[in-house]
């Protein structure tokens, strides 16, 4: 069992002012790049006449916005990361724990890790799962695009088998070397960039 909870980071930003599971990809309407989607907002009641609000004379309140909170949990080896926001849950698995070098064939350990993700998807009772593959910037961009898509397809197929739920729609995409999360000039950074991410809406409390 991989040691967990080696790193926990929480950030917040406040701004004032009956068929088999399906997979969709590259259908002419590209997905929003991971990590750039708007998160869920909830109504926040603010009474501008509340006596506890100390505003300068003539001052008014801007429209309130909900705190956007992201929690990140990564295992000690950096092989697996989980991100929770107000709207979504994302699991990111390094390619090395899923596949052999330049391969899209899942190993035994990979299937066990994917089964854990499937359990969380069941818990959230979601009907949309996005599976995105990424590579580093070594080799040609075209090769990275193909390999990242093949790896995303492999993870999607394993998830579909574990979930066995015809009501779930999968969106699968290979981004290749786009959207790196670390520096591609070092092997440590490239290792983090070679990954598959599984994202789904948070629907349970």
């Amino acid at each position: 069992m991989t040691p967990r909870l080696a790193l926990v980071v929480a950030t917040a930003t406040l701004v004032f002012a009956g068929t088999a599971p399906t997979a969709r990809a590259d259908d002419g309407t590209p997905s929003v790049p991971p990590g750039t989607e708007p998160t869920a907002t909830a109504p926040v009641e603010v009474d501008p006449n509340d006596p506890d609000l100390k505003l300068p004379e003539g001052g008014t309140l801007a429209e309130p916005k909900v705190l956007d909170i992201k929690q990140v949990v990564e295992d000690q080896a950096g092989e697996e990361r989980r991100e929770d926001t107000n709207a979504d849950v994302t699991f990111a698995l390094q390619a090395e724990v899923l596949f052999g070098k330049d391969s899209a064939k899942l190993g035994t350990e990979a299937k066990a890790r994917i089964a854990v993700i499937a359990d969380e998807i069941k818990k959230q009772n979601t009907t949309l799962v996005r599976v995105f593959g990424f590579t580093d910037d070594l080799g040609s961009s075209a090769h990275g695009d193909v390999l990242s898509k093949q790896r995303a397809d492999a993870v999607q197929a394993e998830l579909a088998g574990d979930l066995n739920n015809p009501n779930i729609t999968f969106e699968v995409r290979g981004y290749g070397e786009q959207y790196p999360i670390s520096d591609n000039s070092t092997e440590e950074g490239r290792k983090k960039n070679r990954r598959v991410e599984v994202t789904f809406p948070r629907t349970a409390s």
Side-chain angles (χ1 to χ4, degrees), residues 133-149 174-182 184 190 193-195:
F134 305 86
T135 63
D136 57 30
D137 65 352
L138 297 181
S140 72
S141 176
H143 177 70
D145 290 346
V146 172
L147 181 61
S148 64
K149 177 60 164 58
Y175 282 103
E177 63 188 51
Q178 298 182 69
Y179 312 112
I181 58 173
S182 192
N184 269 314
R190 290 191 294 269
N193 291 333
R194 298 188 294 263
R195 68 197 189 279

Side-chain angles (χ1 to χ4, degrees), residues 1 10 48 94 104 118 137 139 185-186 199:
M1 195 76 174
Q94 285 186 4
D137 65 352
S185 67
T186 68
T199 302

Side-chain angles (χ1 to χ4, degrees), residues 16 22 61 72 89-91 129 151 160 175 197 202:
F16 289 92
T22 58
L61 289 175
V72 181
V89 179
T90 298
F91 285 87
V129 178
R151 287 176 166 177
Y175 282 103
E197 295 186 357
R202 174 184 300 285

Side-chain angles (χ1 to χ4, degrees), residues 31-40 68 70 83 85 87-88 90 130 132 171 175 197 199-200:
S31 306
V32 176
T36 63
E37 313 88 341
T39 57
D68 184 14
K70 176 184 288 188
E83 294 184 5
T85 70
D88 300 303
T90 298
R130 295 181 296 174
F132 296 151
E171 184 181 345
Y175 282 103
E197 295 186 357
T199 302
F200 44 93

Side-chain angles (χ1 to χ4, degrees), residues 10 48 59 74 82 104 123 131 141 155 170 173 186 192:
E74 187 174 272
R82 172 175 173 158
K123 177 182 175 183
V131 185
S141 176
V155 172
F170 288 89
R173 192 169 179 85
T186 68
K192 290 183 178 181

Side-chain angles (χ1 to χ4, degrees), residues 18-23 165-168:
T19 55
T22 58
N165 184 346
N167 295 318
I168 293 180

Side-chain angles (χ1 to χ4, degrees), residues 65-78:
K65 292 189 178 181
V66 176
L67 283 171
D68 184 14
I69 300 173
K70 176 184 288 188
Q71 182 180 29
V72 181
V73 180
E74 187 174 272
D75 65 13
Q76 287 182 345

Side-chain angles (χ1 to χ4, degrees), residues 25-120:
D26 303 316
D27 58 0
T29 54
S31 306
V32 176
T36 63
E37 313 88 341
T39 57
T41 58
V44 177
E45 296 296 331
V46 177
D47 180 3
N49 300 314
D50 190 325
D52 292 330
L53 290 174
K54 305 297 183 183
L55 293 174
E57 187 174 346
T60 58
L61 289 175
E63 285 296 316
K65 292 189 178 181
V66 176
L67 283 171
D68 184 14
I69 300 173
K70 176 184 288 188
Q71 182 180 29
V72 181
V73 180
E74 187 174 272
D75 65 13
Q76 287 182 345
E79 296 174 343
E80 182 174 336
R81 187 180 75 255
R82 172 175 173 158
E83 294 184 5
D84 290 85
T85 70
N86 297 335
D88 300 303
V89 179
T90 298
F91 285 87
L93 297 172
Q94 285 186 4
E96 277 77 359
V97 303
L98 298 174
F99 311 100
K101 185 176 180 180
D102 206 33
S103 169
K105 182 178 180 181
L106 291 169
T108 303
E109 182 184 355
K111 294 181 179 181
R113 288 177 182 260
I114 292 170
V116 172
I117 298 175
D119 287 342
E120 183 65 22

